[in-house]
């Protein structure tokens, strides 16, 4: 659509004239050429002589100069029109182009002001979020450390094999939790510094997904969760970064199991109509409220304080997944409602490896 935001004269007093299809306007030629357009007689120019707007309005001449965004994209036109034919002079053209540059300056200034305001609001939000996040992380670190230190002190006083086994279990669980936190922080630091390079190698995505899923078999069995892979790409290999995919799948599957009490977690591997590899992780867990769908991909955010307190976690897993998917020029989205499970869909453009022809 084309919308006339400001005008002088009677032609645009009617609402229909101020809002029209871009194809039916004269300014469309300014947008198409990205240059000043001068038409001395609209009824004698092949581009406009049969234009409904021209015929109905009685316009006969047109001069338009482009208006730009801060990136240089043409978003509109500053134009002059008259009810009689007119030979537009170089002075006319120079004057209009000068005015158009003034509009560009206004657009530039307002855009910078909006960006500055948004950056300030975002910074304030980050500061507020990090304050709450630091308190949450302090608990996430202190809990496993307390378990480790306490277990170590008690190991020297154990009097039975059963006590020793129980303390070792606490030690292992606490150490694993602390290691997960450290790994998340290090992964995020690598991504921030640009040190996380994509290294592609031949990978059977379906088999790789099965390998990652098997890592969670014990945890899933403990919660009576069934794990499965829906493979629509049997035997098909791609050039992919195994390390990045491992991090992505471990986070998605780990979260799916964490937030599911009984039920199932399914990993689906397929291709979309664009040839992208599509990985879906589908669970029957607690679900995510629509207002939290974007938040979970932001650093230092989690899907609500109650969820964070109940299930723990660093809150860095999903931002890392989002960063890795972006680095591979892919996309990730979530479909979920509270109490109805969640489906995370990762779509990544990967180069397929040609399969050898079977012998006749």
């Amino acid at each position: 659509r084309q919308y006339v935001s400001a005008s002088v004269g009677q032609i645009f007093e009617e609402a229909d004239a101020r809002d029209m299809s871009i194809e039916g306007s004269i300014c469309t030629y300014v947008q198409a050429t990205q240059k000043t357009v001068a038409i001395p007689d609209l009824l004698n120019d092949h581009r406009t002589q049969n234009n409904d707007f021209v015929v109905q309005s009685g316009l006969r001449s047109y001069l338009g100069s482009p208006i730009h965004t801060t990136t240089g994209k043409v978003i509109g036109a500053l134009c002059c029109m008259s009810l009689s034919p007119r030979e537009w002079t170089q002075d006319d053209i120079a004057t209009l182009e000068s005015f158009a540059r003034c509009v560009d300056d206004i657009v530039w200034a307002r855009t910078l002001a909006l960006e500055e305001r948004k950056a300030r609001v975002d910074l304030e939000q980050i500061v507020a979020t990090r304050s709450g996040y630091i308190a949450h992380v302090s608990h996430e670190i202190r809990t496993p450390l307390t378990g480790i230190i306490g277990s170590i002190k008690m190991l020297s006083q154990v009097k039975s094999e059963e006590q020793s086994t129980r303390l070792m279990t606490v030690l292992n669980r606490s150490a694993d939790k602390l290691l997960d936190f450290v790994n998340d922080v290090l992964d995020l630091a690598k991504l921030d510094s640009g040190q996380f390079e994509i290294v592609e190698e031949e990978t059977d995505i379906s088999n790789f997904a099965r390998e990652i899923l098997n890592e969670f078999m014990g945890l899933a069995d403990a919660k009576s969760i069934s794990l499965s892979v829906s493979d629509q790409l049997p035997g098909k290999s791609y050039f992919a970064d195994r390390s990045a995919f491992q991090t992505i799948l471990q986070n998605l599957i780990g979260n799916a199991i964490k937030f599911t009490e009984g039920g199932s977690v399914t990993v689906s591997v397929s291709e979309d109509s664009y040839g992208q590899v599509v990985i879906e992780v589908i669970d029957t867990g607690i679900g995510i409220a629509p207002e939290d769908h974007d938040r979970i991909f932001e650093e230092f955010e989690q899907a609500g304080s109650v969820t964070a307190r109940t299930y723990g976690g660093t809150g860095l897993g999903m931002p890392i997944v989002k960063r890795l998917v972006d680095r591979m020029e892919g996309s990730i989205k979530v479909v979920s409602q509270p109490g109805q499970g969640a489906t995370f869909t990762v779509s990544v453009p990967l180069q397929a490896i040609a399969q050898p022809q079977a012998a006749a």
Side-chain angles (χ1 to χ4, degrees), residues 136-293:
H136 169 69
V137 167
S138 298
H139 171 76
E140 288 296 310
I141 296 175
R142 187 183 296 114
T143 300
L145 275 178
T146 301
I148 292 170
I149 294 170
S151 297
I152 290 173
K153 289 181 178 179
M154 293 177 66
L155 274 173
S156 60
Q157 305 172 17
V158 294
K159 299 179 179 179
S160 68
E161 187 68 27
E162 182 181 352
Q163 284 181 312
S164 177
T165 301
R166 188 165 60 250
L167 288 172
M168 289 303 296
T169 300
V170 173
L171 265 175
N172 286 328
R173 185 170 61 244
S174 299
D176 287 342
K177 189 172 183 180
L178 194 58
L179 181 61
D180 287 341
F181 174 78
V182 172
N183 284 336
D184 280 349
V185 172
L186 290 177
D187 284 344
L188 192 63
K190 284 182 181 178
L191 288 165
D192 277 340
S193 65
Q195 295 177 7
F196 206 114
E197 296 182 3
I198 299 298
V199 179
E200 296 182 336
E201 55 186 302
E202 184 174 341
T203 305
D204 184 324
I205 300 295
S206 299
N207 284 341
F208 191 65
R210 287 189 184 89
E211 292 173 10
I212 301 298
L213 201 65
N214 287 336
E215 297 177 8
F216 294 90
M217 198 64 71
L219 183 59
D221 288 344
K223 300 181 72 174
S224 299
I225 298 171
S226 64
L227 303 181
S228 62
V229 173
S230 174
D231 182 9
Q232 300 177 41
L233 301 174
K236 196 166 183 179
S237 294
Y238 300 82
F239 287 111
D241 187 307
R242 295 176 66 89
S243 176
F245 269 101
Q246 180 176 353
T247 301
I248 291 169
L249 286 168
Q250 284 177 337
N251 275 289
L252 292 179
I253 296 170
N255 275 354
I257 294 173
K258 178 196 291 187
F259 297 112
T260 300
E261 300 296 332
S264 65
V265 173
T266 303
V267 179
S268 172
V269 183
S270 62
E271 268 189 6
D272 63 14
S273 58
Y274 298 100
Q276 297 185 114
V277 171
V278 178
I279 300 174
E280 291 181 306
V281 178
I282 308 158
D283 67 60
T284 58
I286 63 173
I288 306 167
E291 60 268 24
D292 291 326
H293 287 185

Side-chain angles (χ1 to χ4, degrees), residues 2 23 31 35 40 64 99 107 117 138 145 149 163-165 202 236 273 287 295 300 305 343 358:
Q2 171 178 290
E23 292 82 5
Q31 187 175 34
K35 295 186 295 187
F99 286 148
V107 171
R117 188 180 310 149
S138 298
L145 275 178
I149 294 170
Q163 284 181 312
S164 177
T165 301
E202 184 174 341
K236 196 166 183 179
S273 58
R295 285 181 55 195
F300 313 112
S305 57
T343 298

Side-chain angles (χ1 to χ4, degrees), residues 30-31 33-37 62 64-68 73-78 96-97 99-101 103-104:
V30 176
Q31 187 175 34
T33 62
Q34 301 186 23
K35 295 186 295 187
T36 298
V37 172
Y62 172 90
S65 189
I67 297 170
H68 308 83
K73 180 181 177 181
V74 175
I75 55 168
L78 183 66
L96 187 68
E97 289 179 339
F99 286 148
R101 284 192 295 272
V103 176
D104 283 352

Side-chain angles (χ1 to χ4, degrees), residues 7 22 28 55 75 98 125 151 174 240 246 270 302 323 352:
S7 63
I22 186 68
T28 187
V55 173
I75 55 168
S98 177
Q125 180 64 36
S151 297
S174 299
Q246 180 176 353
S270 62
Q302 288 182 300
R323 293 269 209 101

